[in-house]
Amino acid sequence: MTRLRSTPGETARRGFIETYDSVPGGVWFAPGRINVIGEHTDYNDGFVLPFALDRGVATAAALSNHGRVDLVSEQFGPKSFALEELSRGGPGLGHGGAAVWAAINSGMEIPGLNLYVSSTVPAGAGLSSSSAFICALLVAANDLTGSGLDAPTLAMSAQRAETEGVGVPIGVMDPMVTMLSKQGHALLLDCESLRYEHVPFRATTPGADTEILIVDTRTERNLATGQYGERRGDCQRAVSLLGLSSLRAASTSLLEEMSGLLDEMSLRRARHVVTENARVLEVVKRLREDDMAGIGKLLDDSHRSLVEDFDVSSPTLDLAVEVCRDAGAYGARLTGAGFAGCVIGLFPSGSLPVVDAAAKKAFSAREMRQPEVLLGYSGPAAGQLVG
Ligand code: GLA
């Protein structure tokens, strides 16, 4: 059982001093995220409701004149790129290279950069570790170069880094929540207009009567391997068959009327997106009414839709959801892209020991890798750490 640790800023600072034998220009932090609800809706111009975690990626950074990016990651080791090589862009740059490429592309003048990165978000678990990594580098470069780009612009830059530089076709949710979040709140984001609102969510703060638990099944997924792109393609196919601009323009009644135009799979994909958008708005309403039981039911419905209509769950994720429900969750669902990674459950406070024991027992009985249960507390948006 693990409580979320504080920021890894000190580790990054210490690592920088040991590596470069000089003090950094500052230390920046970008959080990972949990998506409360609104899965596979962002690239369909829909609604999402994520919040930024109190764990994430810290980077100690300084400009230099050597024409390179020297990057040491505590987890993944050292890398070095010539700026000239980076400015050519293209997929396959890796996250560090892609972040700096996007920074240069958005007008930042970087003569050279030294970076030391440390992370407290498990990689590949669906908690947006890669977006946090890219955002941490972008906010650092933005401040060090005095470029003054605002948070939404940096978020769009981070999305370009991942899409065009790394080659993973993600939506806007992860970088937007990393850049715009507010502690104690979830971020209601309209991915069509990019309008957003901070919705108070006290289960994300210590001392509340409810809590969000994250069950990390420690099964890693890699978005680059294709299934995520396939789902995007399925949605695009439904959009073409329906003759719409995006699935945002669809509704349950429209799908019923026009179901003859769709094959069975396209109908299921579209139905998930349409019903999930409605669930996001309904969760926001229930949050305002303080109706935890109502929110729990919507989380359960979301998971069912992701299993039956969107086909992105796995036996391990389903088991983790079942464990949460049996241990007294108001509701539970997979979070992030799916296929592997984490589930979240909304619980009365103090449930962590029970859920942790139940998850370990259920996973050992099936000879599965031991899961890890974490408290999902919210943290602030990406920015420079003080002190
Ligand atoms: C990944 C992507 C997001 C979003 C989710 C699914 O996390 O990075 O943009 O599409 O999957 O909701």
Side-chain angles (χ1 to χ4, degrees):
M1 151 181 9
T2 313
R3 240 206 90 167
L4 296 184
R5 271 167 41 203
S6 56
T7 69
E10 231 356 90
T11 318
R13 190 181 153 78
R14 221 177 306 120
F16 186 101
I17 295 169
E18 277 163 22
T19 308
Y20 301 105
D21 204 18
S22 60
V23 288
V27 182
W28 287 262
F29 177 78
R33 63 100 188 90
I34 281 292
N35 189 16
V36 179
I37 196 160
E39 224 62 87
H40 293 274
T41 47
D42 63 349
Y43 56 81
N44 286 301
D45 284 352
F47 296 104
V48 291
L49 188 70
F51 69 88
L53 286 169
D54 66 350
R55 56 166 62 203
V57 175
T59 182
L63 292 179
S64 81
N65 285 314
H66 53 35
R68 290 190 318 272
V69 178
D70 287 339
L71 184 156
V72 178
S73 151
E74 198 195 7
Q75 281 79 18
F76 302 111
K79 279 221 163 96
S80 185
F81 316 87
L83 281 172
E84 213 179 310
E85 193 187 306
L86 277 185
S87 54
R88 281 197 288 275
L93 289 177
H95 292 86
V100 179
W101 164 76
I104 296 168
N105 228 270
S106 54
M108 297 185 205
E109 286 183 17
I110 300 175
L113 203 52
N114 291 337
L115 300 156
Y116 190 98
V117 179
S118 168
S119 173
T120 48
V121 205
L127 302 179
S128 190
S129 57
S130 47
S131 186
F133 185 96
I134 289 173
C135 289
L137 267 53
L138 276 167
V139 281
N142 187 42
D143 287 350
L144 285 168
T145 56
S147 300
L149 301 183
D150 64 14
T153 307
L154 289 170
M156 298 319 282
S157 235
Q159 189 200 11
R160 276 197 76 194
E162 205 152 346
T163 311
E164 294 172 40
V166 184
V168 183
I170 61 149
V172 291
M173 169 170 72
D174 302 348
M176 284 295 272
V177 65
T178 295
M179 291 293 183
L180 293 164
S181 56
K182 191 165 155 190
Q183 202 155 11
H185 294 71
L187 183 84
L188 170 63
L189 174 69
D190 176 342
C191 300
E192 186 175 46
S193 64
L194 295 187
R195 272 199 288 269
Y196 60 89
E197 191 186 333
H198 295 109
V199 183
F201 192 3
R202 66 167 190 280
T204 69
T205 51
D209 54 355
T210 41
E211 66 194 13
I212 291 181
L213 295 180
I214 305 165
V215 182
D216 179 0
T217 64
R218 299 168 78 210
T219 48
E220 282 187 23
R221 44 119 233 200
N222 177 358
L223 284 186
T225 55
Q227 281 172 303
Y228 180 83
E230 274 171 28
R231 294 303 180 281
R232 283 191 77 137
D234 295 346
C235 293
Q236 210 36 56
R237 179 175 156 76
V239 165
S240 314
L241 292 171
L242 291 167
L244 300 172
S245 53
S246 76
L247 284 177
R248 174 65 175 276
S251 61
T252 308
S253 54
L254 182 132
L255 289 184
E256 272 162 20
E257 268 165 44
M258 299 179 86
S259 62
L261 295 177
L262 296 174
D263 55 88
E264 189 265 345
M265 190 180 76
S266 304
L267 177 62
R268 285 193 290 120
R269 301 295 190 253
R271 186 167 57 205
H272 165 72
V273 174
V274 167
T275 56
E276 185 79 348
N277 277 333
R279 282 187 287 270
V280 173
L281 299 181
E282 193 58 28
V283 165
V284 170
K285 184 166 163 264
R286 304 294 173 117
L287 267 175
R288 294 195 171 115
E289 292 165 356
D290 204 19
D291 175 8
M292 293 301 134
I295 294 171
K297 180 175 176 308
L298 290 155
L299 299 182
D300 287 346
D301 292 348
S302 170
H303 188 73
R304 192 172 317 110
S305 180
L306 288 160
V307 171
E308 292 174 4
D309 281 347
F310 221 69
D311 294 318
V312 289
S313 193
S314 71
T316 318
L317 292 170
D318 291 345
L319 175 64
V321 164
E322 198 183 303
V323 166
C324 287
R325 287 185 191 142
D326 291 349
Y330 292 107
R333 59 182 289 278
L334 71 84
T335 187
F339 311 111
C342 293
V343 314
I344 53 161
L346 178 64
F347 286 91
S349 281
S351 300
L352 195 148
V354 176
V355 177
D356 187 65
K360 295 216 155 86
K361 190 167 163 212
F363 277 60
S364 323
R366 288 163 185 80
E367 294 180 0
M368 289 173 173
R369 196 168 173 200
Q370 284 289 275
E372 196 175 4
V373 182
L374 313 164
L375 268 164
Y377 287 148
S378 60
Q384 186 166 6
L385 296 174
V386 277

